[in-house]
Amino acid sequence: MASDGPVEHGYPHLETVRAAITALYRRLSYDTVRTFETSVLPVDVAFCDTDDLYLGAQRVAHELVRHYRLPDARLVVSFREMRHAASVELAAGPEYFVELNDRFRTHRRDIGAALAHEVMHVYLHRLDLSFPGVRENEILTDTATTYLGAGWLLLDAYREDGASSQKLGYLTPEEFGYVLAKRALVFGEDPSVWFTSAQAYTAYAKGMELARLDERQPPLTAAGWAGRRRYARDRRHGSSGPPQPGVRYAFSPDGGGRLRVSFPCPTCHQRIRVPVRGRVRARCALCRSVLECDT
């Protein structure tokens, strides 16, 4: 939790974020991911100053347990002075103990954001899905929280002005915006209508720009002129050396000596390999996206 300190911006964790989206599809399957087409709604996690602190926190936790479809999980929420925003004890269950930073006693509007991340830890723990290393695993948790419909709360908790700042989670605001945009493009949902933070709008817009750019990378037919020209040059040379900055496709020969190109699916980022033979329609086996390509 960044509180009154510098907030990191940009996309320093982008490749880990993309790997996390791929891991979600692989572990959950396309059908299960599609069951999360509706995000947590603001009314479900609303918390006003007149609500009882502990009963309100338990109610919000219950709503997130319901959203993540963990009906046999019970969360016990408490508050204490700590460095991080929150922590959860990942035991065998069904009872899990979550501790929230004492700061949330007076910043109740962000309790839902903190709990969304911690309940996702429980969800991933039960799935036995994790990344090596603490930071990578926290990035996976933020990404999963956002892609499965509760991470807009984390982005909305980001606020920054000349005198103070606050950000929850390990992703930068723009990375949260990117994952939210990837989700929006899949489910046709606009999370920006729920934002109360002006900075969240900006971060989401920047994330959407990058998410749209994923859909305009060669060999996809939607690629721009400059990308198509570079792709044609690389195709002539059958480039198989180290990838150039910003280039995500790679050429390689198949068993018969014919050239193939591999590139990441713009939806789930799993690599797809197709023959180099002009117009090709490819279907991603992982997320079922149908892609129009000009190879």
Side-chain angles (χ1 to χ4, degrees):
M1 177 173 65
S3 179
D4 296 336
V7 174
E8 187 176 26
H9 289 277
Y11 302 95
H13 316 110
L14 184 58
E15 291 310 309
T16 305
V17 167
R18 287 169 168 164
I21 294 174
T22 307
L24 273 180
Y25 274 96
R26 285 177 178 164
R27 185 66 182 87
L28 291 179
S29 81
Y30 165 85
D31 290 325
T32 302
V33 170
R34 295 296 305 189
T35 65
F36 289 91
E37 63 180 350
T38 302
S39 287
V40 172
L41 298 175
V43 67
D44 294 332
V45 292
F47 204 129
C48 71
D49 290 339
T50 58
D51 289 342
D52 179 271
L53 178 64
Y54 292 94
L55 292 179
Q58 292 294 153
R59 174 183 55 79
V60 173
H62 175 75
E63 286 297 332
L64 290 162
V65 165
R66 182 194 59 79
H67 176 76
Y68 292 136
R69 295 163 180 80
L70 295 168
D72 60 336
R74 298 190 300 274
L75 267 68
V76 179
V77 183
S78 62
F79 297 80
R80 72 174 176 88
E81 187 175 339
M82 56 197 301
R83 177 171 174 266
H84 297 289
S87 65
V88 61
E89 180 182 323
L90 294 176
E95 197 166 69
Y96 300 88
F97 294 89
V98 177
E99 293 180 317
L100 299 182
N101 192 300
D102 261 341
R103 188 171 189 267
F104 291 113
R105 291 178 181 272
T106 54
H107 292 72
R108 299 183 181 188
R109 61 185 286 191
D110 298 323
I111 284 178
L115 287 174
H117 179 96
E118 300 309 317
V119 180
M120 178 52 69
H121 270 303
V122 174
Y123 184 77
L124 295 176
H125 174 68
R126 290 192 169 194
L127 283 177
D128 194 25
L129 176 59
S130 63
F131 277 2
V134 174
R135 178 167 290 274
E136 288 74 14
N137 203 52
E138 293 290 352
I139 292 169
L140 167 65
T141 304
D142 275 344
T143 303
T145 303
T146 306
Y147 203 83
L148 298 184
W152 70 266
L153 290 162
L154 285 161
L155 179 55
D156 195 43
Y158 162 55
R159 290 179 286 278
E160 189 172 16
D161 57 38
S164 62
S165 64
Q166 173 185 282
K167 186 188 77 70
L168 301 183
Y170 283 69
L171 300 187
T172 67
E174 293 78 14
E175 287 168 340
F176 274 120
Y178 173 76
V179 182
L180 271 177
K182 301 295 282 188
R183 172 184 167 80
L185 293 172
V186 168
F187 294 108
E189 183 181 71
D190 180 11
S192 66
V193 299
W194 303 320
F195 293 150
T196 61
S197 163
Q199 290 84 7
Y201 283 100
T202 302
Y204 176 64
K206 291 180 178 178
M208 180 60 80
E209 289 178 9
L210 183 58
R212 289 288 191 190
L213 188 60
D214 287 346
E215 300 179 333
R216 299 195 299 269
Q217 295 295 312
L220 301 174
T221 56
W225 177 84
R228 295 297 312 163
R229 184 177 182 183
R230 180 170 58 184
Y231 179 84
R233 181 197 63 205
D234 293 341
R235 179 179 57 197
R236 283 195 302 271
H237 297 293
S239 177
S240 58
Q244 304 173 53
V247 174
R248 304 189 69 201
Y249 55 81
F251 296 98
S252 61
D254 63 14
R258 294 175 293 272
L259 197 62
R260 286 180 172 266
V261 61
S262 66
F263 61 96
C265 170
T267 300
C268 69
H269 302 290
Q270 174 173 260
R271 293 197 73 83
I272 299 170
R273 192 165 180 253
V274 296
V276 174
R277 63 183 186 199
R279 289 280 181 142
V280 175
R281 177 174 288 177
R283 178 184 173 92
C284 178
L286 190 59
C287 70
R288 303 186 188 177
S289 295
V290 177
L291 309 171
E292 298 290 341
C293 310
D294 187 356
T295 60

